[in-house]
Amino acid sequence: MNIVEIGGVEVSIDQARTRRTYEALAASAYKCSCAYCQNFRALGSTPFPLAVLAFFEQAGIDLDQPAETYEYNQTESGKHLYGGEFYFFGEAPLTDGSGLDPSGPLDFTFTKPSPLAQSEFHVEGAVCFSFIVELPWVIAGALGCMVTCTTPPFRAAARLNSGVSPQKK
């Protein structure tokens, strides 16, 4: 394993194992067609600062294969508050996932795999890169209903439609 620093945190990564896992996932990757997921995919790498993109590369994370992305709500600025998860193999200081700050450009933490992780990441050594970020709406057309988000298993749509959103600090 290699040691990488991101956001002042040292993380051990197993790039080869992570890449092999993403390559296996690519053959069966499912792309949700709801408007929120389409908008996130249309943004490409722009939601992530260069340091995070460098970490993804070093960790072997495939930016095109998040375990999940979800839109919490439209913010006062007219942008949309998104959250999501990417996975890698290694070791990192883990949190319970609470305390992410939605008021900045991007905040992240490391957690144990959530129920949203692909089954290949529900094994020993998997780490979740959980993030929250405010993003613009860039695709044409009206917002789609989260209920159309059919990414198996039926993920966070019900929770997101409940009106629950992260609190600003």
Side-chain angles (χ1 to χ4, degrees):
M1 283 203 238
N2 294 325
I3 305 293
V4 175
E5 186 177 318
I6 179 167
V9 176
E10 284 192 353
V11 179
S12 297
I13 54 172
D14 185 340
Q15 182 189 61
R17 184 177 180 195
T18 303
R19 284 192 188 211
R20 282 192 310 271
T21 303
Y22 277 108
E23 287 168 3
L25 287 172
S28 63
Y30 177 80
K31 300 283 188 194
C32 178
S33 62
C34 82
Y36 299 109
C37 290
Q38 288 179 36
N39 188 65
F40 185 83
R41 282 193 305 272
L43 289 163
S45 64
T46 59
F48 302 103
L50 292 177
V52 171
L53 293 174
F55 172 76
F56 283 4
E57 175 64 29
Q58 293 169 324
I61 294 172
D62 184 343
L63 186 61
D64 293 328
Q65 295 192 68
E68 185 63 88
T69 56
Y70 33 88
E71 191 260 15
Y72 287 106
N73 60 302
Q74 189 167 2
T75 64
E76 291 177 15
S77 69
K79 293 185 177 183
H80 296 261
L81 190 61
Y82 273 83
E85 300 176 5
F86 287 92
Y87 285 85
F88 66 96
F89 288 102
E91 296 177 5
L94 303 179
T95 71
D96 65 2
S98 65
L100 287 174
D101 184 358
S103 65
L106 178 127
D107 197 14
F108 67 89
T109 191
F110 299 105
T111 67
K112 292 190 288 188
S114 81
L116 304 176
Q118 299 97 327
S119 61
E120 292 82 353
F121 288 109
H122 280 281
V123 295
E124 186 69 30
V127 178
C128 174
F129 176 96
S130 178
F131 69 91
I132 192 165
V133 63
E134 192 176 66
L135 300 172
W137 192 261
V138 296
I139 63 171
L143 299 178
C145 174
M146 277 302 292
V147 175
T148 64
C149 185
T150 56
T151 304
F154 185 69
R155 308 245 175 137
R159 175 172 53 95
L160 297 176
N161 278 335
S162 71
V164 175
S165 64
Q167 300 296 315
K168 289 194 175 194
K169 291 183 178 180

